Amino acid sequence: YWINDSSKNNGLHIMLDEFVMPVCWLRFSSSDNPIASQRPKLTVSYAVAEIDSSGATTFCTGDSVIFTTNTGSYTYQWFQNGIAIPGANSSSLTAKTSGDYFVVITNSTECTVSSTIKHVNVNPKPSATITALGATSFCNGDSVVLQANSGSGLTYQWLKNNTNISNATSVLYSAKTAGTYKVKVTNVFGCTKASAVVN
């Protein structure tokens, strides 16, 4: 039947010795075998690795993004720039530095799969300092000029007693009244840093 009549081909019988009564045998049946339990069955074990992020993957120094992957009966290993991150063996990872991140997931049958790569870009915060160009204690009617650090693409917002001063957006500010002053400096990446206060 195997050779001459494929319509009646229900499987291949492999014996230890075809010329003697077999004592052991193993039957391989095709999908048209009338006995359902003898039909072939393919079981595929697989792991799926997808990464979701809790927010933007471009952010300023000091911030972070949380990556999560699918949960289940898996083991996990996260990588940064192709190097395994020590202790990063859960279904989530908090990324704080620039680099390419991915996760390798292994299921209970030792099948492994790697996720796609997520790129993280961490932009630096600017410096934020104040220099007083004169005495900070003076008589009523006088003033002191406060100078923030300068640099290409920097923008400024001056504050008095932690409240924004209207239209005080220059590198210089003339303080005429008592209080605590500081400046917030923002760079071209949109990252902001506040200076220490000047009394």
Side-chain angles (χ1 to χ4, degrees):
Y1 285 148
W2 185 266
I3 297 174
N4 298 323
D5 192 348
S6 61
S7 65
K8 295 180 179 180
N9 175 13
N10 293 325
L12 177 65
H13 194 182
I14 302 176
M15 297 183 182
L16 294 176
D17 189 336
E18 64 182 37
F19 299 109
V20 298
M21 180 66 69
V23 294
C24 294
W25 52 269
L26 180 65
R27 175 174 292 146
F28 297 90
S29 302
S30 65
S31 60
D32 57 359
N33 189 318
I35 303 174
S37 62
Q38 295 181 5
R39 295 172 188 165
K41 178 181 178 181
L42 176 64
T43 301
V44 178
S45 296
Y46 64 95
V48 177
E50 298 177 350
I51 297 180
D52 293 320
S53 58
S54 63
T57 55
T58 296
F59 48 84
C60 301
T61 300
D63 293 333
S64 62
V65 62
I66 298 175
F67 291 130
T68 57
T69 188
N70 50 296
T71 58
S73 299
Y74 306 124
T75 58
Y76 306 90
Q77 179 59 64
W78 291 87
F79 290 78
Q80 180 183 12
N81 300 326
I83 300 173
I85 304 171
N89 306 117
S90 69
S91 60
S92 65
L93 175 76
T94 300
K96 299 179 180 180
T97 58
S98 296
D100 293 322
Y101 292 83
F102 68 92
V103 64
V104 173
I105 295 180
T106 304
N107 66 10
S108 58
T109 58
E110 299 300 319
C111 295
T112 63
V113 64
S114 297
S115 71
T116 56
I117 292 174
K118 291 285 189 177
H119 181 73
V120 171
N121 185 40
V122 181
N123 291 318
K125 287 186 176 181
S127 297
T129 61
I130 297 176
T131 302
L133 304 181
T136 56
S137 294
F138 47 82
C139 299
N140 189 31
D142 291 336
S143 63
V144 62
V145 174
L146 304 178
Q147 182 179 42
N149 55 291
S150 61
S152 177
L154 297 181
T155 58
Y156 307 91
Q157 176 60 62
W158 289 90
L159 299 87
K160 177 185 176 183
N161 300 329
N162 284 324
T163 301
N164 286 349
I165 303 170
S166 180
N167 299 318
T169 56
S170 171
V171 68
L172 299 174
Y173 179 74
S174 180
K176 299 179 180 180
T177 58
T180 57
Y181 292 84
K182 65 181 177 180
V183 65
K184 287 184 178 179
V185 182
T186 303
N187 62 17
V188 293
F189 303 112
C191 297
T192 299
K193 185 176 182 180
S195 71
V197 299
V198 171
N199 295 308

